[in-house]
Amino acid sequence: MQRASDTDDLAELVTNQHQQLRSFVRTLGVDADWVDDLAQEVFLVAWRERKSFDADRDIGKWLRGIARNLVRNELRKQSRQKRLLHEGLSELLLKHSDAEVASEEHFRAHGPELRDCVERLAPKSRRLVAGRYEDGWNASDLADHLGMTSAAVRQALMRIRQQLKHCIELRIAEASQIDGRFTT
């Protein structure tokens, strides 16, 4: 059973540290709408781990460390959820595919659009695409190879995927308009 002093200790901790912790969490790049939720989670983790806290340490520093770890975990979760190249591009490709279209026939049908769109990219963007999707390099390898940071590589690849998606959609739309003119 919980002792009254435990509850009082938690209330005092929250009262004394809440505002500073919220400010710190916001400086870590957490969306303003989620700052309170993450701060609350920090206090819950601190409560669960209270027995591991060394009373000689600075409590604020300990809470900020917990906050940093929670933000790192969110980043890892977010990167795991981004296994698809681009959600919109995947949806488009799935929409245009079925069991038999997944074969080489599908690539022959839309491969020219993709190749043409990749060729239209700036040289550095083409190197990023080739390194990632032809050579299979991850963001860290590409960053080292191209003299960029991993974050910059990931951001650039996201923008390139958006460009390619837009380009492919335009190509397919243009092709269907041309086909429509010849069939009417």
Side-chain angles (χ1 to χ4, degrees):
M1 181 151 181
Q2 214 173 2
R3 297 178 314 171
S5 64
D6 285 348
T7 306
D8 293 341
D9 290 346
L10 178 63
E12 184 179 345
L13 174 68
V14 171
T15 302
N16 292 340
Q17 298 292 325
H18 188 258
Q19 193 58 43
Q20 296 90 345
L21 183 64
R22 286 183 77 256
S23 297
F24 178 74
V25 166
R26 186 68 174 123
T27 65
L28 294 175
V30 173
D31 187 288
D33 294 336
W34 291 99
V35 168
D36 285 330
D37 289 344
L38 193 71
Q40 181 179 359
E41 193 171 345
V42 169
F43 286 118
L44 290 173
V45 169
W47 179 254
R48 282 192 305 266
E49 301 296 322
R50 67 188 179 277
K51 289 184 170 111
S52 70
F53 177 68
D54 178 3
D56 294 331
R57 291 182 54 202
D58 177 4
I59 188 99
K61 190 174 183 178
W62 185 57
L63 293 171
R64 289 188 299 275
I66 293 170
R68 276 193 292 282
N69 288 334
L70 290 174
V71 170
R72 280 189 195 105
N73 289 343
E74 285 298 314
L75 286 170
R76 279 194 287 273
K77 276 193 271 186
Q78 190 175 25
S79 67
R80 282 194 305 262
Q81 291 170 354
K82 298 217 180 235
R83 291 181 179 166
L84 298 178
L85 297 176
H86 186 278
E87 184 178 332
L89 179 58
S90 294
E91 287 173 1
L92 176 70
L93 292 172
L94 285 171
K95 186 171 78 173
H96 293 303
S97 69
D98 56 26
E100 54 197 57
V101 177
S103 69
E104 195 174 78
E105 228 175 277
H106 178 68
F107 185 77
R108 268 187 261 132
H110 295 293
E113 288 96 350
L114 178 59
R115 270 192 293 279
D116 184 51
C117 290
V118 169
E119 287 173 11
R120 291 173 181 250
L121 292 172
K124 188 171 186 174
S125 295
R126 282 196 308 268
R127 283 194 300 274
L128 280 165
V129 168
R132 177 67 185 104
Y133 300 108
E134 291 174 21
D135 302 331
W137 291 357
N138 63 29
S140 298
D141 295 336
L142 283 167
D144 291 341
H145 184 71
L146 297 173
M148 300 170 68
T149 65
S150 295
V153 167
R154 285 189 292 277
Q155 184 71 27
L157 285 170
M158 182 186 73
R159 288 184 179 136
I160 292 166
R161 287 188 296 266
Q162 289 171 342
Q163 284 179 302
L164 290 173
K165 176 185 179 273
H166 182 70
C167 179
I168 290 169
E169 287 172 341
L170 283 174
R171 294 293 189 162
I172 291 171
E174 289 169 358
S176 64
Q177 285 177 348
I178 291 171
D179 289 345
R181 279 191 238 146
F182 289 118
T183 58
T184 23

